[in-house]
Amino acid sequence: MNTTYEVQQYVQRRPRGQPFTTSVLMKYGARAAVDQALSRLANTGKIVRLTRGVYVRPEKNRFVGQVLPEPFKVVEAIAKKTNETIQISGAEAARQFGLSTQVPTQPVFLTTGQSRRFNIGGLEVILKHVSRKKIPLPESKAGLAILALWYVGKEQVTNQTIEQIQKKLTRPEFEKFISSKEHMPAWMSNTVLQYSNIKETVRG
């Protein structure tokens, strides 16, 4: 097997803008041979090294040249490689649900792995270690809603806040959210229960 050829073929088939890790290439040869093949491709500009063990075949824009992927795509690739759970920060979750107007100036992600930092095209990305319970229901909108409420905090979460959450979720997603009280602190689950009771009374 020609490792350099196989790696080149893999990269050529890879969609532009979709990060990949070196781990997916180990089937093509020894680590040293794979690293050498990737180094050659990076030197010719066919791929870009985003962080340790993560590369991308960059998208091209006629006005700005190479376009690197969004940080979340990169951390998703890292998560697949390291088998850790990674999620956006509470601040970003609150912004997405319209509970905050602040736009984070620096990408911060929560991870069950080690805290670390890396740069993507000059932009520093932070991975912050938290316990697994601080990333509730990963890969679901319900989990993001809980994360957003944690960020907003006990004193600011009201029935109106829960109503705002409901507006941003589909019916199944909202039902999953209100039925996930085991992932919420007492103050949050009490507010969610109060909101649900009010809605039941209005419907009744």
Side-chain angles (χ1 to χ4, degrees):
M1 178 184 292
N2 186 318
T3 301
T4 298
Y5 174 78
E6 294 294 345
V7 170
Q8 288 176 342
Q9 289 300 300
Y10 175 87
V11 169
Q12 189 63 34
R13 294 191 300 268
R14 188 73 184 175
R16 290 187 180 275
Q18 293 294 324
F20 63 92
T21 65
T22 54
S23 59
V24 301
L25 303 173
M26 292 300 102
K27 59 187 176 182
Y28 298 133
R31 179 61 183 264
V34 170
D35 286 346
Q36 187 177 53
L38 290 171
S39 179
R40 288 173 179 168
L41 290 170
N43 289 338
T44 58
K46 292 182 179 178
I47 61 174
V48 173
R49 181 181 182 272
L50 298 170
T51 185
R52 183 179 179 181
V54 183
Y55 294 82
V56 71
R57 184 174 172 230
E59 295 184 87
K60 302 286 186 178
N61 183 288
R62 61 175 179 164
F63 300 110
V64 299
Q66 289 184 345
V67 179
L68 298 182
E70 293 293 324
F72 189 65
K73 284 188 177 182
V74 180
V75 299
E76 277 187 321
I78 292 173
K80 289 179 181 178
K81 175 187 176 185
T82 59
N83 200 31
E84 60 193 287
T85 301
I86 295 179
Q87 185 58 281
I88 62 174
S89 68
E92 175 59 19
R95 187 193 68 80
Q96 290 186 13
F97 279 97
L99 304 181
S100 172
T101 56
Q102 293 184 339
V103 179
T105 57
Q106 189 173 39
V108 178
F109 298 90
L110 308 179
T111 176
T112 55
Q114 294 182 338
S115 294
R116 54 209 190 271
R117 299 166 182 249
F118 61 90
N119 286 280
I120 304 175
L123 178 66
E124 186 179 50
V125 179
I126 298 175
L127 293 177
K128 182 180 178 182
H129 171 76
V130 295
S131 63
R132 190 169 293 276
K133 70 177 183 178
K134 288 293 186 179
I135 307 181
L137 304 172
E139 300 183 11
S140 77
K141 292 288 185 66
L144 284 183
I146 295 172
L147 200 59
L149 294 180
W150 252 328
Y151 175 79
V152 173
K154 179 180 179 179
E155 301 303 321
Q156 301 300 320
V157 173
T158 64
N159 289 330
Q160 287 71 34
T161 312
I162 307 303
E163 185 173 31
Q164 179 69 14
I165 291 288
Q166 184 174 15
K167 290 177 180 178
K168 294 287 185 176
L169 297 176
T170 64
R171 185 170 181 175
E173 289 168 345
F174 185 70
E175 289 177 351
K176 182 175 183 178
F177 163 70
I178 62 175
S179 65
S180 300
K181 296 182 180 64
E182 72 274 14
H183 296 287
M184 304 177 186
W187 62 264
M188 190 186 298
S189 62
N190 288 341
T191 305
V192 170
L193 179 60
Q194 182 184 61
Y195 177 81
S196 299
N197 289 339
I198 291 174
K199 285 294 183 179
E200 285 296 328
T201 300
V202 172
R203 281 197 291 266

